[in-house]
Amino acid sequence: MKGRPKSRPFFISSSDSYPAFLIFTALNRKLKIMAIIKPFRALRPQPALAKEVAARPYDVLNSKEAAEAAAGNPNSFYHVSKSEIDLPEGTDIHSEAVYAKAAENLQNLQTSGTLFHEEQPCYYIYKLVMDGRSQTGLVCASSIDDYNKGIIKKHEFTRPDKELDRINHITTTRAQTGNVFLAYNDVPELNTLISHWQQNQRPVYDFTAEDGISHTIWVVNEASVGDEITRLFAEKVPATYIADGHHRAASAALVQKASGEDINSDANLNYFLTTIFPASELAILDYNRLVKDLNGHSKEDFLSRLEYDFTVEAVGHHEQKPAMLHEITMYLDHTWYHLVAREGTYSADPIGILDVTILQNNILDKHLGIRDPRTDKRIDFVGGIRGLGELVKRVDSGEMQVAFALYPVTIQQLFDIADSGNVMPPKSTWFEPKLRDGLLTHLI
């Protein structure tokens, strides 16, 4: 079945044989509201092999790190997501050989029985626990039509080179191996339903990875429960928000567009792999900056210039995290400084109020000559998961000259910016913990 026939009346009776998600899809597309999701037949590992298969997202580690992580483990999903590790050293990671090797390795994992294809479409519940804090999301297939129409909201620009990499990976493997992390405003009925399933069913996967993060997954394989999940999203969730995975989402949409597939059909190609979390369970970490030089200024001149827009206080050698909004901490010449933005250095609009914008406009651009942080080679970014020690190490080594630590963006700020149709400055948010690749793959 490829979708609702065009000649068929819009209203669908309960006696029709259409899957529930197609009924809700038809209703939603007619009304142009609410989120469209559906269950899918995941390609997933045998339970005993889940920990061996699970891999960190492809874009959070380099080829050398992936090779070390996969050493001696033929079941590691890095052989698919970072397949250059199985080719001669120095191979261009964007070459055709790398994508072909990924497809070969994915097929081998299926042929060996390490991975198997779910017999029926299911939803999946994915719980992560890190440092005692847990978050639980729904793994599903989200509509590319929703992405195109802005029901799935974005807050970052994407780069064509990164899109092309994922396009080539998807089209060669015929699979979406990277999960897109979405968020939504809490729906109590959904929270209750998901919690009830967790309490009354055994998980299929339950392990703690080497980094101490635990991963637990349940399969929702009862049609009535799946239908209720679909209905609740159709009725209660007007929008979802991309938290992490803008390039994965954009690439899936471009693959669909290039295929010529009817967007109104239920083809797998019209959906992409997502895990959707309620906003109340999410935490955003800081995303910090390092700069190679002071743009020709002496330390004394640079500090003096900062006082036009900030109160500047030297606070010693111990690591200093910002304690509130509009406070930035800076590490320069073995000393930490508190920089508090003066009134008038920022606006009240959703973008202008962000600390990353204050830093960009009043320090990076104004004094350090970094106008486009996406392309300038003098700046680097460090996710808060690495801690302030990483900033200190790289400045003290002489690799960088100055570091800036930022107060984290809130989930509500992210929602406000996405709702306004604006985008955040690059590298504004860092989400932890990360979903693992390989546990649930969406075949197209």
Side-chain angles (χ1 to χ4, degrees):
M1 181 183 65
K2 299 298 285 183
R4 178 171 58 85
K6 293 181 180 178
S7 60
R8 189 177 180 88
F10 171 69
F11 292 104
I12 303 173
S13 73
S14 59
S15 63
D16 284 323
S17 60
Y18 283 69
F21 80 85
L22 277 183
I23 298 176
F24 297 127
T25 296
L27 290 168
N28 286 350
R29 287 195 173 124
K30 184 70 173 180
L31 299 173
K32 295 182 173 60
I33 57 171
M34 303 302 180
I36 297 169
I37 64 169
K38 74 168 186 174
F40 69 103
R41 295 175 58 208
L43 180 69
R44 61 186 184 89
Q46 299 291 345
L49 300 176
K51 186 174 181 179
E52 291 182 33
V53 171
R56 293 165 61 202
Y58 76 96
D59 54 354
V60 301
L61 74 174
N62 59 35
S63 303
K64 180 181 179 181
E65 291 168 333
E68 291 172 352
N73 180 9
N75 293 326
S76 171
F77 207 74
Y78 289 124
H79 296 291
V80 176
S81 61
K82 302 286 288 184
S83 54
E84 67 271 15
I85 67 176
D86 295 324
L87 295 171
E89 187 175 349
T91 298
D92 180 358
I93 64 172
H94 299 128
S95 66
E96 184 177 343
V98 170
Y99 303 115
K101 191 64 177 177
E104 176 188 336
N105 289 343
L106 184 61
Q107 184 58 53
N108 288 342
L109 287 172
Q110 296 174 72
T111 302
S112 69
T114 299
L115 302 181
F116 69 96
H117 203 189
E118 198 82 66
E119 292 185 0
Q120 67 185 69
C122 298
Y123 286 119
Y124 304 85
I125 296 169
Y126 192 156
K127 178 182 177 181
L128 302 103
V129 180
M130 174 181 169
D131 297 333
R133 184 182 65 82
S134 69
Q135 61 187 58
T136 301
L138 179 75
V139 188
C140 61
S142 289
S143 165
I144 286 175
D145 195 38
D146 279 1
Y147 176 85
N148 293 336
K149 291 178 178 177
I151 294 171
I152 297 174
K153 296 178 179 285
K154 318 158 188 70
H155 69 266
E156 285 185 4
F157 286 125
T158 53
R159 288 171 42 184
D161 59 331
K162 289 193 171 184
E163 289 176 350
L164 182 59
D165 171 56
R166 287 302 92 191
I167 289 169
N168 288 335
H169 197 276
I170 292 169
T171 54
T172 305
T173 61
R174 306 305 299 168
Q176 295 160 355
T177 62
N179 212 315
V180 178
F181 182 160
L182 301 181
Y184 68 98
N185 281 306
D186 284 51
V187 175
E189 298 96 322
L190 271 170
N191 294 349
T192 299
L193 188 156
I194 288 172
S195 177
H196 185 267
W197 188 268
Q198 290 176 269
Q199 293 169 10
N200 291 277
Q201 304 291 330
R202 291 179 62 85
V204 292
Y205 306 134
D206 188 6
F207 65 90
T208 300
E210 289 74 11
D211 57 6
I213 298 172
S214 70
H215 303 261
T216 311
I217 293 177
W218 293 259
V219 179
V220 182
N221 51 13
E222 288 186 13
S224 60
V225 178
D227 290 350
E228 180 67 1
I229 290 172
T230 306
R231 182 190 69 80
L232 286 169
F233 265 88
E235 295 181 358
K236 304 284 187 179
V237 182
T240 57
Y241 300 80
I242 299 178
D244 194 9
H246 283 79
H247 288 93
R248 281 160 263 169
S251 301
L254 290 168
V255 169
Q256 190 283 332
K257 182 179 180 180
S259 74
E261 178 71 49
D262 176 9
I263 194 68
N264 293 308
S265 80
D266 65 317
N268 286 348
L269 196 63
N270 291 337
Y271 293 80
F272 63 107
L273 179 64
T274 62
T275 301
I276 313 180
F277 291 90
S280 64
E281 295 189 7
L282 299 181
I284 303 176
L285 300 185
D286 45 312
Y287 215 148
N288 303 315
R289 274 78 171 132
L290 288 154
V291 180
K292 287 183 179 295
D293 57 70
L294 297 183
N295 197 31
H297 302 298
S298 67
K299 182 182 78 170
E300 292 72 22
D301 179 42
F302 179 61
L303 290 171
S304 177
R305 288 169 179 266
L306 292 183
E307 291 180 348
Y308 287 108
D309 299 306
F310 301 87
T311 62
V312 180
E313 179 188 6
V315 289
H317 305 297
H318 297 295
E319 295 174 4
Q320 298 287 319
K321 268 186 173 290
M324 60 184 180
L325 196 65
H326 304 337
E327 178 182 272
I328 297 167
T329 59
M330 178 179 73
Y331 186 67
L332 172 66
D333 191 23
H334 305 288
T335 302
W336 283 95
Y337 296 82
H338 281 175
L339 312 178
V340 179
R342 299 183 187 276
E343 289 188 15
T345 59
Y346 53 89
S347 63
D349 67 81
I351 298 292
I353 202 169
L354 296 176
D355 287 351
V356 66
T357 305
I358 295 170
L359 173 67
Q360 176 59 40
N361 292 343
N362 298 288
I363 299 180
L364 299 181
D365 186 350
K366 186 173 183 178
H367 301 303
L368 297 180
I370 297 173
R371 290 170 176 77
D372 185 354
R374 291 189 301 163
T375 59
D376 198 302
K377 303 300 184 184
R378 295 167 53 230
I379 189 170
D380 199 7
F381 308 88
V382 177
I385 190 66
R386 292 183 177 266
L388 299 186
E390 180 71 9
L391 305 182
V392 171
K393 181 179 74 173
R394 294 180 66 182
V395 171
D396 286 353
S397 72
E399 175 196 359
M400 297 290 183
Q401 191 163 356
V402 62
F404 302 94
L406 297 168
Y407 193 75
V409 172
T410 68
I411 193 70
Q412 189 57 54
Q413 286 179 316
L414 185 153
F415 284 5
D416 289 345
I417 289 167
D419 285 338
S420 73
N422 288 305
V423 295
M424 287 185 176
K427 309 293 186 183
S428 294
T429 59
W430 183 280
F431 285 87
E432 285 287 349
K434 303 287 188 187
L435 301 161
R436 287 300 198 263
D437 287 351
L439 296 177
L440 299 164
T441 294
H442 184 230
L443 300 179
I444 62 170

